[in-house]
Amino acid sequence: MPRIRQHNVTAARWSSNGAALGSPDLTIADNQVFGANVFSPAVQRRRLPKHVYKALQRTLAKGEALDTSLADAVAQAMKEWAMEKGATHYTHWFQPLTGSTAEKHDSFYAPAGDGTALAEFSGKELIQGEPDASSFPTGGIRATFEARGYTAWDPTSPAFILENPNGALLCIPTAFTSWTGEALDHKIPLLRSMDALSGAAVRALGLLGVEDASRVFTTIGCEQEYFLIDEQYYFERPDLLTTGRTLFGAKPPKGHELDDHYFGSIPERILAYMLEVELELAKLGVPIKTRHNEVAPNQYEVAPIFENSNVGADHQMITMQIMQNTARRYGLVCLLHEKPFAGVNGSGKHNNWSMGTDTGLNLLEPGDTPAENLQFLFFCAAVIQAVNKYQALLRASIASAGQDHRLGANEAPPAIISIFLGAELEKVFTAIETGKVQPSKPGSFLGLGTPVLPPLPLHGGDRNRTSPFAFTGNKFEFRALGSSQSPAFPNTVLNTIVAECVDELTDKLKAALKGSATLEKAVTAVVKEAWSANKQIIFDGDGYSEAWHKEAEKRGLVNLRTTPEALPWLIEKQTIAAFKKYKVLSKRELESRYEVFTEQYVMNINIEAETAASIARTMVLPAAVRYLNELRASGLEDLIGEVEPRIKELHYALVKLEDANLHENQPDSSAQKWAVYMRDTVISAMEDVREVADRLEKLVADDRWPLPKYSEMLFIK
Ligand code: ADP
Ligand code: MG
């Protein structure tokens, strides 16, 4: 059997090999694993002195500073708990601007001087770390000579234990800062933005007559899309291994046109994998709720129940890590890249977002009829205003090299930011605008045409899958995040701009109330004005269509198709002013992010381009030439005539790509120019090489082809 076919058979022959996890009796309390590896409030209550526990809870509930004199007691309890679970080491776990998580492990043990070792962990070690970590990108905030970076304990995100077959590790979520106090990570600005929004929302609630709320939390729940492929194919593809996506590969005869994968029954190996991922995540307190097959072959989705944004963002990072680690136990590789396969749907992350008070109110939950609910309309109008005012910034917050393959292509979602509200809610706003109070649709029911099925309550608005920012009943869904992206930065942006617009509307409300208008009249007037000024951002049609691109342009909405166009909005005047006002990011911190993200874009494309050139030269070209020699030996001129010119074309395109990759041919004056060069010159050179190589894939003898094909990677499960 040819080499590749043999691999397919092996790949398809997976079995759980007796390593099954089994199904324990879940009615027995000891078999419940949720939160087993989390230093949760419940564990804290059991293990901490009462006053320490209470102080910690206040920090969690009200965002108050923790008295650091209590840290020794917390450290002591945390260490004992962790060691009981087999932890020998601890780490300050943080999120540098690389977009992934970072850890540096320290042992609990220190020599006691008499030839033995003692386990120690002090409050100081809990609160502060100095990992040096000078190699993380800082966008110029830290020169290496001032390389000191600190990590600081975030008591609002619980510590957890990561298990390994050979031991366990206590992870302490921390913030990462320079010695001058500038944020070098994604957590600090997220926490600052949550404070900003809380302040603004509590002030607004006071005017709206809700006086008992003292804190507002933003909440997120991220739906994560991903691919799973057999690991044999992965390790046979240098492009997947190095860049996370396939740089070559002809379109397979079958894609997802039959829609036979979406929501299909989940294959046994995949479900076994999902169950183990969910078990691991349950131990870590990540509340996974939903799983299903996605649209593309071998594509899946997982989603948790929402949590406060900080914990939710940490949990999202843990989720991605556990998904990737667990896959290997099943002979699989989990691909989180935004576009692992050309011509096949890519992967995103839907960021469900809302605001809730410490008293349990969801500020984006409409009342019985939406028109009645002033509070809901007020906050909803603030979100609409924020998204319209900062469209470009929101787009920039999700920009990356991987994302450029999805946004702006004919695939979810478009690069143009718009809001979908649903028919009913749109009617309410329109009624307010025109002054006609139009009763919202009476609660109707959807009959299913047979009495054996119960009537279903009909939602006021249908869903719109193409919208990048959609209202979905009691939350907004920012659908444009990349699958591999940390949700922290987009949520930082969202929280900050909404805080500003809540404040803007609150100021107006205050003024209107001074003029002795009733609350209802005043809110209606404020909402009406915000709606009229911002309704251009509302769109309920097909976001993928060419017509929408034209219409959006007419409306003056921004369409930033690529990362180099989007990122400069991070350092626009309006952005800098808002982020300064709300103390979320200083100008220097914003500039550092712009620089780091731009460099990441350049480097990612550079790595892809060099990988593509190397595969083309050392794998594809030799395979094609060998095949040509076989044809020559056969003397079949027609066949030679089909292949030979393609090889020449490939060589021509390859030399051009290698040329584009040469450092001396690239601009080095500014990161922005470099990024534009990568986009305009390098990417197109890469695409030209791929185009010929993919044609050769369909000509060259299958047993000669050096790379696993789409039809194999995407369909063998
Ligand atoms: P769909 O695929 O229809 O969008 P899912 O059930 O897959 O729905 O995902 C909905 C997500 O929205 C879940 O992660 C859920 O926890 C989250 N969510 C629900 N309410 C809120 C809220 N108030 N704030 C943030 N996220 C929420
Ligand atoms: Mg969704």
Side-chain angles (χ1 to χ4, degrees):
M1 209 183 309
R3 191 180 59 93
I4 291 174
R5 292 298 89 72
Q6 182 60 54
H7 285 194
N8 291 349
V9 174
T10 321
R13 224 179 247 156
W14 175 85
S15 89
S16 66
N17 285 334
L21 298 173
S23 322
D25 178 351
L26 292 177
T27 61
I28 298 171
D30 278 356
N31 288 336
Q32 297 283 356
V33 295
F34 189 83
N37 286 344
V38 184
F39 195 64
S40 60
V43 176
Q44 292 165 21
R45 192 175 52 232
R46 263 184 276 127
R47 292 183 171 253
L48 288 172
K50 221 175 182 167
H51 71 286
V52 179
Y53 170 73
K54 282 206 169 136
L56 253 183
Q57 287 314 299
R58 272 200 303 276
T59 305
L60 287 175
K62 308 242 186 275
E64 282 173 13
L66 183 76
D67 181 351
T68 50
S69 67
L70 303 176
D72 275 329
V74 180
Q76 177 68 17
M78 209 188 262
K79 183 195 75 184
E80 269 167 24
W81 170 79
M83 288 181 67
E84 280 167 27
K85 300 206 162 272
T88 51
H89 288 67
Y90 70 94
T91 182
H92 277 195
W93 183 82
F94 60 104
Q95 294 162 43
L97 297 180
T98 53
S100 15
T101 58
E103 50 193 67
K104 176 188 175 196
H105 305 185
D106 276 302
S107 171
F108 284 129
Y109 292 97
D114 60 356
T116 62
L118 265 178
E120 280 176 350
F121 184 53
S122 67
K124 192 171 162 287
E125 286 165 306
L126 166 65
I127 288 187
Q128 189 179 349
E130 198 184 316
D132 174 22
S134 54
S135 293
F136 287 116
T138 69
I141 282 190
R142 295 195 313 178
T144 24
F145 64 83
E146 53 177 37
R148 211 176 296 212
Y150 293 108
T151 48
W153 177 38
D154 167 18
T156 63
S157 182
F160 56 93
I161 285 178
L162 277 184
E163 293 174 308
N164 176 281
N166 296 338
L169 170 71
L170 170 66
C171 296
I172 302 159
T174 53
F176 183 42
T177 166
S178 76
W179 70 281
T180 46
E182 274 141 333
L184 297 175
D185 72 348
H186 284 309
K187 184 188 269 287
I188 298 175
L190 177 61
L191 286 169
R192 291 176 184 159
S193 74
M194 289 172 71
D195 288 341
L197 189 130
S198 178
V202 167
R203 187 167 82 101
L205 283 170
L207 285 188
L208 291 163
V210 181
E211 265 133 28
D212 56 346
S214 56
R215 171 115 192 140
V216 168
F217 290 96
T218 51
T219 48
I220 59 169
C222 290
E223 300 161 54
Q224 172 78 48
E225 293 177 339
Y226 61 100
F227 282 87
L228 289 171
I229 64 166
D230 192 276
E231 65 184 358
Q232 291 192 73
Y233 303 131
Y234 178 82
F235 290 112
E236 277 192 80
R237 300 223 29 155
D239 47 2
L240 275 179
L241 189 64
T242 315
T243 72
R245 77 177 180 103
T246 54
L247 302 171
F248 296 94
K251 196 176 170 307
K254 181 182 172 204
H256 49 73
E257 45 283 281
L258 296 177
D259 281 333
D260 49 355
H261 182 71
Y262 188 53
F263 280 22
S265 74
I266 303 175
E268 188 178 52
R269 165 156 61 156
I270 306 298
L271 185 55
Y273 158 80
M274 290 173 168
L275 287 163
E276 184 159 349
V277 165
E278 290 168 24
L279 181 77
E280 291 296 326
L281 288 172
K283 287 192 219 162
L284 295 167
V286 182
I288 296 297
K289 173 87 172 159
T290 307
R291 57 169 106 103
H292 61 79
N293 286 5
E294 254 305 325
V295 172
N298 273 357
Q299 191 186 31
Y300 307 93
E301 182 180 297
V302 63
I305 293 172
F306 67 97
E307 301 174 280
N308 98 44
S309 304
N310 180 40
V311 175
D314 282 357
H315 281 172
Q316 180 62 207
M317 300 310 285
I318 297 174
T319 301
M320 291 195 282
Q321 185 183 341
I322 296 289
M323 285 167 69
Q324 286 173 306
N325 290 349
T326 308
R328 298 297 306 283
R329 290 183 214 146
Y330 291 81
L332 298 166
V333 171
C334 170
L335 304 177
L336 293 176
H337 193 282
E338 283 71 25
K339 193 75 178 179
F341 304 99
V344 174
N345 260 22
S347 299
K349 185 158 13 217
H350 291 183
N351 186 89
N352 294 274
W353 175 92
S354 188
M355 303 169 263
T357 65
D358 53 355
T359 53
L361 272 183
N362 177 353
L363 302 185
L364 292 175
E365 175 91 52
D368 285 342
T369 67
E372 279 172 13
N373 200 325
L374 296 176
Q375 176 191 307
F376 162 72
L377 289 171
F378 178 88
F379 285 103
C380 196
V383 176
I384 294 170
Q385 178 153 317
V387 173
N388 185 41
K389 188 168 171 186
Y390 289 100
Q391 311 157 35
L393 178 62
L394 275 175
R395 166 68 181 91
S397 77
I398 45 142
S400 73
Q403 285 275 76
D404 284 4
H405 301 290
R406 302 189 326 127
L407 312 173
N410 264 352
E411 186 185 312
I416 307 165
I417 302 285
S418 64
I419 299 180
F420 173 79
L421 284 183
E424 182 168 6
L425 190 51
E426 213 176 313
K427 260 191 212 151
V428 172
F429 277 108
T430 311
I432 289 176
E433 185 182 28
T434 53
K436 274 185 234 140
V437 180
Q438 190 181 355
S440 67
K441 256 192 224 166
S444 40
F445 283 87
L446 184 66
L448 295 179
T450 154
V452 297
L453 295 175
L456 300 177
L458 185 62
H459 290 286
D462 196 7
R463 318 224 10 177
N464 180 323
R465 284 193 40 219
T466 68
S467 175
F469 203 96
F471 182 72
T472 46
N474 57 3
K475 60 190 188 290
F476 278 97
E477 190 171 337
F478 187 14
R479 299 215 182 101
L481 274 68
S483 48
S484 68
Q485 187 175 13
S486 158
F489 188 62
N491 282 288
T492 300
V493 168
L494 193 53
N495 296 345
T496 309
I497 62 178
V498 173
E500 184 186 79
C501 292
V502 167
D503 267 342
E504 284 171 4
L505 298 200
T506 304
D507 289 343
K508 286 188 180 153
L509 183 61
K510 214 170 165 181
L513 285 172
K514 272 213 182 102
S516 79
T518 62
L519 183 63
E520 188 178 337
K521 280 219 167 101
V523 173
T524 310
V526 170
V527 167
K528 176 181 171 176
E529 192 191 334
W531 170 261
S532 307
N534 296 291
K535 65 182 180 189
Q536 61 158 0
I537 196 78
I538 308 294
F539 176 65
D540 63 2
D542 178 2
Y544 305 165
S545 69
E546 215 16 70
W548 168 232
H549 282 231
K550 289 208 185 90
E551 163 73 15
E553 199 180 324
K554 240 195 263 157
R555 294 191 192 181
L557 301 183
V558 287
N559 183 3
L560 306 167
R561 286 168 199 267
T562 65
T563 299
E565 286 162 272
L567 286 180
W569 289 88
L570 295 179
I571 47 171
E572 268 294 295
K573 250 171 69 189
Q574 184 179 251
T575 310
I576 292 174
F579 277 69
K580 183 175 169 205
K581 179 171 174 206
Y582 288 94
K583 300 191 173 65
V584 174
L585 287 167
S586 68
K587 181 161 183 263
R588 198 159 122 104
E589 287 169 325
L590 277 170
E591 282 166 352
S592 79
R593 272 137 191 93
Y594 162 70
E595 236 168 80
V596 170
F597 299 161
T598 306
E599 262 171 35
Q600 271 159 3
Y601 173 83
V602 167
M603 286 183 296
N604 273 319
I605 292 171
N606 187 53
I607 292 167
E608 284 185 357
E610 289 189 5
T611 307
S614 145
I615 291 175
R617 183 160 294 274
T618 65
M619 296 174 82
V620 175
L621 204 56
V625 170
R626 283 187 206 128
Y627 180 57
L628 178 65
N629 282 339
E630 280 172 30
L631 292 180
R632 284 211 176 109
S634 76
L636 294 165
E637 289 304 325
D638 287 356
L639 296 184
I640 295 169
E642 281 174 353
V643 174
E644 192 170 13
R646 300 291 90 75
I647 294 181
K648 286 191 174 142
E649 277 174 57
L650 177 65
H651 185 236
Y652 179 78
L654 173 59
V655 169
K656 251 181 89 179
L657 173 61
E658 288 169 338
D659 231 42
N661 283 347
L662 283 181
H663 215 75
E664 58 260 38
N665 291 340
Q666 304 190 349
D668 55 5
S669 49
S670 80
Q672 184 65 29
K673 282 207 178 116
W674 202 1
V676 169
Y677 173 84
M678 293 318 249
R679 181 193 64 193
D680 296 344
T681 309
V682 175
I683 290 183
S684 61
M686 228 184 340
E687 278 166 0
D688 290 347
V689 171
R690 177 184 190 142
E691 198 267 321
V692 205
D694 289 356
R695 271 192 286 149
L696 275 165
E697 183 187 313
K698 296 193 155 181
L699 289 174
V700 171
D702 186 66
D703 60 346
R704 281 253 175 260
W705 196 251
L707 298 165
K709 297 179 175 178
Y710 274 29
S711 52
E712 292 154 338
M713 289 184 285
L714 286 171
F715 292 95
I716 290 176
K717 334 185 181 243

